[in-house]
């Protein structure tokens, strides 16, 4: 059973990390005395079944394994644009950013580089 769980973890992470070069955070799990063996508890106190995935705020997906919770995002962020003239705006409904002029938000700005 351990190998199935480990394989599931790797498969989940591979789908996020390989095609999108996702940014991930891994939180090691320390079991509490009253915590069930088949669940993980996230930093907010939320409980999730072992080997399950769920969407967290800000376009982040998480996976629960026996030893950790791994959360990844694959949202591309603008990093090379005129920050004095322009500002970035995050759109949580579709997990994207746009970069627009500060004085005329209807006009988009050129972005030279994006990062994930």
């Amino acid at each position: 059973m351990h190998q199935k769980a480990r394989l599931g973890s790797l498969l989940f992470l591979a789908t996020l990390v390989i095609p999108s070069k996702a940014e991930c955070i891994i939180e090691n799990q320390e079991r509490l005395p009253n915590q069930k063996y088949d669940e993980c508890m996230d930093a907010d106190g939320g409980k999730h079944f072992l080997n399950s995935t769920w969407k967290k705020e800000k376009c982040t997906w998480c996976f629960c394994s026996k030893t950790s919770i791994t959360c990844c995002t694959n949202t591309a962020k603008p990093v090379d644009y005129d920050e004095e003239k322009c500002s970035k705006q995050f759109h949580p409904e579709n997990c994207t950013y746009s970069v627009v002029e500060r004085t005329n938000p209807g006009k988009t700005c050129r972005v030279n580089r994006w990062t994930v």
Side-chain angles (χ1 to χ4, degrees):
M1 185 68 170
H2 298 292
Q3 284 193 337
K4 283 185 180 179
R6 190 170 290 157
L7 182 61
S9 303
L10 293 174
L11 182 60
F12 169 75
L13 291 175
T15 60
L16 287 177
V17 177
I18 292 171
S20 63
K21 299 178 184 172
E23 180 179 283
C24 299
I25 296 173
I26 299 173
E27 299 174 16
N28 291 328
Q29 284 291 293
E30 294 183 23
R31 298 247 168 242
L32 301 175
N34 63 344
Q35 188 175 352
K36 294 180 182 177
Y37 183 72
D38 63 346
E39 69 183 14
C40 292
M41 187 177 305
D42 62 31
D44 300 325
K47 295 180 181 180
H48 308 278
F49 288 112
L50 193 64
N51 301 319
S52 66
T53 60
W54 66 96
K55 188 173 183 180
K56 208 173 165 179
E57 76 281 344
K58 297 183 185 173
C59 306
T60 302
W61 288 91
C62 297
F63 176 79
C64 167
S65 73
K66 191 185 302 184
T67 58
S68 65
I69 292 178
T70 303
C71 296
C72 301
T73 182
N74 60 355
T75 302
K77 298 174 187 126
V79 292
D80 185 8
Y81 62 94
D82 185 343
E83 292 186 38
E84 287 183 27
K85 181 180 173 185
C86 307
S87 66
K88 65 182 176 182
Q89 297 180 343
F90 181 66
H91 309 286
E93 65 279 359
N94 60 5
C95 302
T96 61
Y97 281 91
S98 62
V99 180
V100 297
E101 288 187 4
R102 292 180 189 276
T103 57
N104 183 4
K107 189 171 180 184
T108 60
C109 294
R110 177 185 168 104
V111 178
N112 298 312
R113 191 166 54 95
W114 297 78
T115 188
V116 178

